[in-house]
Amino acid sequence: MAPVLVLWLAMSLSGTWAVDKGNFKTCDQSAFCKRQRALKPGDSPYRALLETMELTNTRLTLQLINDNNKVRLLLELYRLQGNMTRVKINELKPLKPRFEVPDVLITEPSTEPLSLLSQDENGVVLSLGTESQRVIISARPFRLDIMEGPEVLMSLNSRGLLAFEHLRMRKDTSLLIHILAQWMISIFKEEEEKVDGMWEETFKSHSDSKPNGPSAISLDFSLPGVEHVYGIPEHADTLRLKTTDNGDPYRLYNLDVFQYELYNPMALYGAVPVMLAHKAQRTTGIFWLNAAETWVDISSNTAGKVCSSETPQTDVRWISESGIIDVFIMLGPTPKDVFSQYASLTGTQSFPPLAAVGYHQCRWNYNDQEDVASVDAGFDEHDIPYDYIWLDIEHTDGKRYFTWDSHKFASPKEMLQALEDKKRKMVAIVDPHIKVDSNYKIHNEIRNKGFYIKNKDGGDYEGWCWPGSAGYPDFTRPDMRAWWASMFAYDQYEGTAENLYTWNDMNEPSVFNGPEVTMHKDAVHGAWEHRDVHNLYGLYVQMATAEGQIQRSGGVERPFVLTRAFFAGSQRYGAVWTGDNAAEWDHLKVSIPMCLSLGLVGISFCGADVGGFFKSPSTELLVRWYQTGAYQPFFRAHAHLDTPRREPWLFGPENTALIRDVVRQRYTLLPYWYQQFYHAYRTGEPIMRPLWVEYPQDPATFALDDEFLIGKDLLVHPVTEEGARGVTAYLPGKDQVWFDVHTFQKHNGAQSLYIPVTMSSIPVFQRGGSIIPRKMRVRRSSSCMTHDPYTLYVALNLQRTAEGELYIDDGHTFNYEKKEFIHRRLSFAKNMLSSVNLATDAEFSTGSWIERIVILGASKPSKVTLKTADGQESQLEFDFDASMSVLTLRKPGVNAGLDWNVMLQ
Amino acid sequence: FIILPPDMHFHMIIVAVFWFGFVDSRKIRGISSSYKRFFRERKSFLCIDGSKIIPFEQVNDDYCDCEDGSDEPGTSACPQGRFYCTNLGFRPHYIPSSRVNDGICDCCDASDEYNSHAHCQNACWNLGQRERAYVEGQMRTLDEGLQLKQQLIEEGVLLWREKQAQLRELQQVAEDLQTKLEERRSRKQEADRLKEQTPRPPEAGDGQNSTVTGTFKLLDSNKDGSITVDEVQAKVALVHDEERVLSEDEAVALLGGDHQMDLTTFQHTLWDILTNGGRVKVSALSNTFLFVFLSDLREKLAIDYGPDWEFLFLNSQCYKLKVYEYTYTLCPFNQVTQQSTAGTEVSLGRWGMWEGPPKNQYGRMVYENGEPCWQGGSRSTTVTLTCGTETALRSVKEPSKCQYIMDFQTPVACQPVLKQRGIHSEL
């Protein structure tokens, strides 16, 4: 949802359907960005004072001095386990402490020994761990080069853009200033502010008092050989990041942007300051751990040039408003190494309840209990499965979260029970802005406990949001988060039950009457300004909410919380969606690169509002969006209050059938999706991933963002063009084959394939060499399918082999952490398909069995023998379709948790 | 005679051969009695669509062999399959196969959950009783409703005739007026011409052609035999300011301090005032009013009030319903409004058209072009008419912004066809 006020303003002022860019700052309007960007590459004023170097086993420290102002910085360098290097730079003696981001790293990263290789007056050379990697620290000017063999992997401050605005006393507070000269000083001060905005800054009618003055930091990174960089979400832009020389840098500042515009570097709801750099031989990553407003400039020496003899190089530069430089350099070398390196720092995707991987039906708003019941019944009537129905803000008593409207939702427990009776669930929204109302328990408690964020003058910060005047709890406080979590207990949050989950919206935070629709930067969180913690706020809200859900079940049940704002580490707390998009074809298209970018930086559980939030989709767009959304990790339809109803059965029987079909495709694939989530939880690898992640040496894949992989075995090229008659999909991999999952037709890899499409087409291919488990009995909800049997789709590669996995657990508790699951490897080789235990120390029993085995690219056997764990052999009936080379084995019937094999003869 | 493909012949023969040869020794789950003939136990089973023959053991063996799902009527194995709930004591029906053993009780006889953790009770008898009671209630309502409807139809016919008569009469009056007006116009032109030649004679009253009753009738717009304040305001004007509408007080004064006046009183009071060339006269504008009224009446009579004019009586009525903080008013064939407790009234649409499905054309009305909406478009209301013994607004919903749905109950929506279709036979 987007702010009503802004909406009204936008409507009345422009009458158009686009973001009002004037509401949001450009780099020029953000004083520190303007100041920093004015510095041009050249000789750095910083010099390393080698005589101050201290090297312990795990840490190197060294002072840097700015020769212009003599301010000293302290550099810390660590070699981290798993091929990472951490560089921290802070003021040696700051006037007061500078903010260091807490709660994002899962632990203090483990270090590895550093050793000194050589040292002279020009610099030092350190060995990084056991590999042939070295760090060269040059003294004058200061620069860092990370080398592997003769190759430079990455250089820091090679363009001399290291900048550190040291904390300082305000000039007019100095004793040296004579009262008599006050007027002169004030003129001077005004001048300074006009030029720099160092001690005060005004944007539109909002003034930022900046009591700490200038505090920005900046550092440049050079990436030799790199032409492709990715990441730093959230932006509505292509997967491959563009150079920013001719425009604004990419901005990272969590904002509630009303009707965001596509293909530009404006900030959106979330920020993950992680960039991946890729070339055929190596993938690296930069994690800039800073939660303040941040801008990222990208330039490339080959950009726009068709043919260049230069060695390609990409240069990036990070600028943040406050805090310290704390950067993790992830050295790969493979994409998956980078994922695992980043996961070791910030954790992996939380493993969601299975139901959350199903289909979600949302709308602003389902009006009352009767409405909920009738939509629920509509799904049964039209035989479309769904797992969650959602309630937006109108379900509350006057936008007081944790309450229900007493007329419209008079008996929420009955409503939840009715859903439970069909094994379905509900999500209700809980936003972090709290209505200022002395009759509202939540508000009173927060106020009495002093948990609200304070304004610059020490009072409770108040802003305008859905409920009118609202306070914002200080989620950066652990005691506040603990209290918030306790509010989800069944006896606190009345009318709730186990099948009610939560949605955190507006947690950028959105403040309708604040600067850029968010909180004033000089608002106060204890010792820190909002300026320091801004991008962390949304993460904390989701963290506390997820914790509340865990606690209410005594730590047994997995939580499910959706958030709009996020930061590095948010993957640990649930799902995110791409915010308030619109019912336009371009928004459908951009949902792919947006979720791909999030996946690359750890946030796998991503989706876009199916159908588009603002405006009303054409039937064709709606169907195409369902087809796309069904193959993205978070699959939820949502609609704005002002749009006509769009439940799947409202567009005629033909379109109902198209939507039903694709939702059912999603449900048949739930075993595969769930396994991908388990894998993401274990490894940090993205679920929805760009092709280059699996084919890192194929340059044809590097910029593809109209198709993607789910895991490594399914390739999806959604139809995102209006009136499309066909799509051209690139099928990667020399010596690879791909099978159309609908027709079983086989295609060779490393080719662009034209696929004619109709309205029912959603081009999806299974990789030859993979085995995908499905459940073909699509029922009302995922929970209804728990005990259902599996069909295994075995797609043979050119070597006539295939591999896959099968993961089964209870689908909703944390017992998988106690090794209560089944994890099996399925492999096909030498005409034998076998299932072996991948987790012998784990234990779980399932009623599910193997119903059918479909082998794609097979030849006709004369006999098929099933052998079970007890040594029993039996013949299986089979059916062979010679036209498509598809062999279907009838009813092996073995329990899915046991050892077995099938022999084709 | 149908020519079948050769293998089809073969299938048919098999069916024929086994038709009487075997008795129904095993209960086949999930089929209705009319389908039992397909499932007589024998060596093989022919998919009902004739596409495949499978060994009989593979019927209901929890694996889908037939494309049409016919081999698994009692399990969840076939995606296209359906399961027959016998539901003795209630109503039998089919459910999708995917609801068999899904842990949710769908058949009231619990037959769909024969192998699940769900504890389903046989609820058919209770449901049946409830259903029977409900149906009986519905039937009573329908009977009563149909009787009322008959009355309303009769009334409707009368009302229709009356309105038609009124229309004819008004048309006559209008024509008279028109003629008079033209006469006056030509006289005035003649007078103007003469005025240039001769000194102007005192203006004669219009009364010379008007009779007392004629004027009375003209003023009595609604033909109820008395003139009211409204009617005076509508058709009596000041001589020197014909444009201004008389105030209520002025009108009351002309009516001799009363709010209405019959012909006798009129003859002795207002008639004198009008004919004596006082300060008031019958307004020439009154024929504008008359034409407006006339076209209004024509418009109203052009509306489709159903085959027997049974909906005509709704024309002048309004029905209210309060939902939370709003009061909704439906004035059929006119408009729908919403009034908040604060008092502001918003139009939710003006009469548009009947929009029922082909089978029940008069089942739904649409009101369109209400107050514009915040995000473009305008408010509209769809009114669904349902059978009931009284005429009342039953519910109002706003499923999407600015799109309202009303449930309006009235005897005229009762349809005999419903009765024929009665659910009795299915119980």
Side-chain angles (χ1 to χ4, degrees), chain A residues 7 11 367 370 380 407 421-423 641-642 644-645 777-780 784 849 851-852 877 890-891, chain B residues 58 61-63 65 76-77 98-104 106 117 324 374-375 397-401:
Chain A
L7 176 94
M11 291 296 291
N367 295 334
E370 201 186 331
D380 286 343
H407 291 296
D421 289 345
K422 293 207 193 144
K423 304 196 180 187
L641 183 69
D642 290 326
R645 287 282 175 135
R777 305 183 182 188
V778 176
R779 306 202 191 234
R780 255 181 290 224
C784 292
W849 43 284
E851 179 175 29
R852 188 186 292 105
E877 281 183 44
R890 186 186 192 278
K891 208 181 176 189
Chain B
Q58 292 184 3
D61 72 337
D62 210 9
Y63 185 89
D65 292 287
S76 57
S98 63
R99 291 177 197 172
V100 173
N101 290 327
D102 66 348
I104 298 165
D106 290 287
H117 302 296
Y324 307 141
W374 186 47
Q375 292 273 37
K397 283 183 214 155
E398 188 188 2
S400 305
K401 243 312 69 141

Side-chain angles (χ1 to χ4, degrees), chain A residues 220-343:
Chain A
D220 64 274
F221 301 80
S222 292
L223 302 158
V226 169
E227 286 184 283
H228 293 83
V229 287
Y230 309 94
I232 53 168
E234 180 175 22
H235 301 99
D237 207 349
T238 50
L239 173 66
R240 179 194 180 181
L241 298 171
K242 297 177 180 125
T243 58
T244 58
D245 301 320
N246 299 318
D248 259 8
Y250 283 98
R251 188 183 189 201
L252 294 171
Y253 191 58
N254 294 356
L255 292 174
D256 178 1
V257 181
F258 175 70
Q259 288 174 349
Y260 58 80
E261 215 173 86
L262 306 185
Y263 305 111
N264 74 46
M266 284 174 73
L268 288 177
Y269 312 94
V272 184
V274 175
M275 180 186 279
L276 270 61
H278 179 70
K279 55 186 177 182
Q281 310 79 32
R282 182 180 285 269
T283 310
T284 56
I286 298 168
F287 172 26
W288 176 266
L289 181 51
N290 188 298
E293 181 184 342
T294 296
W295 298 78
V296 185
D297 254 322
I298 299 170
S299 59
S300 156
N301 61 348
T302 52
K305 296 177 190 166
V306 180
C307 181
S308 170
S309 56
E310 270 180 276
T311 308
Q313 175 164 317
T314 297
D315 295 303
V316 297
R317 177 198 190 176
W318 297 70
I319 304 167
S320 289
E321 186 175 13
S322 67
I324 64 162
I325 292 174
D326 188 1
V327 59
F328 296 81
I329 297 159
M330 301 174 284
L331 292 168
T334 69
K336 289 181 187 178
D337 291 329
V338 175
F339 301 140
S340 118
Q341 285 151 7
Y342 182 62

Side-chain angles (χ1 to χ4, degrees), chain A residues 29-30 77 137 184 250 296 311 344 398-399 583 592 624 665 708 732 761 764 791 821 878:
Chain A
Q29 289 166 319
S30 190
L77 191 143
I137 303 173
M184 281 183 68
Y250 283 98
V296 185
T311 308
S344 74
K399 319 297 186 303
I592 300 172
R624 290 301 189 201
Q665 286 180 36
F708 55 88
S761 309
V764 181
T791 294
F821 59 81
F878 60 88

Side-chain angles (χ1 to χ4, degrees), chain A residues 366 368-376 389 391 409 415 426:
Chain A
Y366 287 121
D368 48 28
Q369 288 182 209
E370 201 186 331
D371 200 358
V372 168
S374 89
V375 171
D376 176 74
I389 187 164
L391 296 180
F409 294 90
M415 170 178 65
M426 175 171 263

Side-chain angles (χ1 to χ4, degrees), chain A residues 16 114 431 652 691:
Chain A
T16 59
L114 280 169
D431 287 351
L691 269 62

